Amino acid sequence: TARARAAVPGPAVRAALALCLLMLWMTGARAANEPLAIVREISFEGNKTTQPKTMLREMVIHVGDPADPQKIERSRQAIQDLSLFRSVQVRQEPLPDGVRLVITVREKYYVLPYPRLSANVDGQYSYGGALDWNNVAGLNHSLDLQVSQGSPNRENYGQQTSYTGSYTAPFIFDSPYAVTLSSSISRQPMTNPATQLPYVERFKNGEVDVTRTYSNGGPASQGWTVGGGLLSTHENRDGPGAAP
């Protein structure tokens, strides 16, 4: 019977292998102990609308910090989480005394008009239009406008016309505070069921909300948010059939 014999490396080969492993280990140890390059500049590409400060406040790495890969990735993800961009990429460019971080973004479309239509089996329907404008002035502010007209399909109720609008301004004046202003107006012709006389019912609402975000040193838009506001509602009835 033939027996297979495993070739055992000789002393010279084993010494050479050991030396190679030692050199690899020393190279890795030097790389691990080598200090990170310092971030000397942060620049942005592709932001035709968005202001740099809108993205800078989300970053957890700043000029003068070591180029920590984890902080760079966390900053990239925080900018992506703003929902203003299709994609966010980061690259490093060497400088004589450190590196430059270049953040490249692909912006979304920020102005979106669209129609609105709804109906149900009870014969109630409404139609109208809306406008969503995000990232106003490149500051991540938002404006929402809606107009609609509808029929409640109820006796003594006419077609209702409504207008609503809201504006949200986060980090106003570069502070951790956000302000939201909203208002709505509705008008509906009606008939007094007792006298059968017509009248018009109007509602006007106005609201102001102020919130503060506590980010605890992380991305500015992430963390706890607390706040409050004021709401005013005014109801008015005009016409011969209007009740007091």
Side-chain angles (χ1 to χ4, degrees):
T1 57
R3 292 186 178 179
R5 237 179 184 183
V8 178
V13 176
R14 290 199 299 269
L17 289 174
L19 180 60
C20 290
L21 291 174
L22 178 62
M23 293 177 63
L24 289 173
W25 178 82
M26 292 178 64
T27 302
R30 285 197 301 269
N33 294 327
E34 187 177 343
L36 296 171
I38 301 301
V39 177
R40 299 301 182 186
E41 295 180 22
I42 298 177
S43 62
F44 299 92
E45 295 179 348
N47 53 315
K48 297 179 180 179
T49 300
T50 310
Q51 295 193 26
K53 67 178 181 179
T54 302
M55 297 175 282
L56 279 171
R57 66 174 171 236
E58 301 300 320
M59 300 181 67
V60 297
I61 192 167
H62 311 285
V63 171
D65 293 345
D68 186 335
Q70 293 184 350
K71 287 188 175 182
I72 293 174
E73 172 55 24
R74 189 181 180 195
S75 298
R76 187 204 66 80
Q77 186 60 53
I79 296 173
Q80 184 78 67
D81 291 341
L82 289 173
S83 298
L84 299 177
F85 310 107
R86 292 187 178 93
S87 65
V88 180
Q89 304 293 333
V90 183
R91 72 176 186 272
Q92 298 185 37
E93 295 180 348
L95 296 174
D97 57 348
V99 294
R100 177 192 296 115
L101 295 184
V102 181
I103 293 93
T104 303
V105 299
R106 291 183 59 215
E107 294 183 317
K108 295 181 178 180
Y109 294 108
Y110 296 129
V111 181
L112 177 64
Y114 57 94
R116 294 174 59 91
L117 176 65
S118 65
N120 59 31
V121 295
D122 295 325
Q124 299 171 335
Y125 65 89
S126 68
Y127 58 91
L131 173 68
D132 291 347
W133 183 3
N134 298 312
N135 203 18
V136 179
L139 296 172
N140 199 21
H141 293 192
S142 60
L143 172 67
D144 298 317
L145 300 174
Q146 294 184 18
V147 58
S148 64
Q149 188 171 50
S151 172
N153 196 27
R154 294 173 58 187
E155 188 177 0
N156 300 319
Y157 286 75
Q159 283 200 337
Q160 183 183 51
T161 304
S162 300
Y163 304 90
T164 62
S166 67
Y167 188 91
T168 301
F171 304 101
I172 189 166
F173 303 123
D174 297 322
S175 73
Y177 293 92
V179 176
T180 299
L181 307 175
S182 59
S183 65
S184 63
I185 300 174
S186 66
R187 178 186 182 278
Q188 188 167 35
M190 304 181 72
T191 302
N192 189 315
T195 63
Q196 294 301 306
L197 294 175
Y199 67 98
V200 176
E201 185 176 60
R202 294 182 177 87
F203 283 94
K204 295 180 181 180
N205 296 323
E207 187 170 358
V208 179
D209 293 307
V210 179
T211 59
R212 189 190 194 285
T213 300
Y214 296 88
S215 60
N216 297 321
S221 297
Q222 301 178 18
W224 291 93
T225 300
V226 296
L230 298 174
L231 169 65
S232 171
T233 300
H234 180 257
E235 179 183 3
N236 184 40
R237 299 185 182 95
D238 293 323

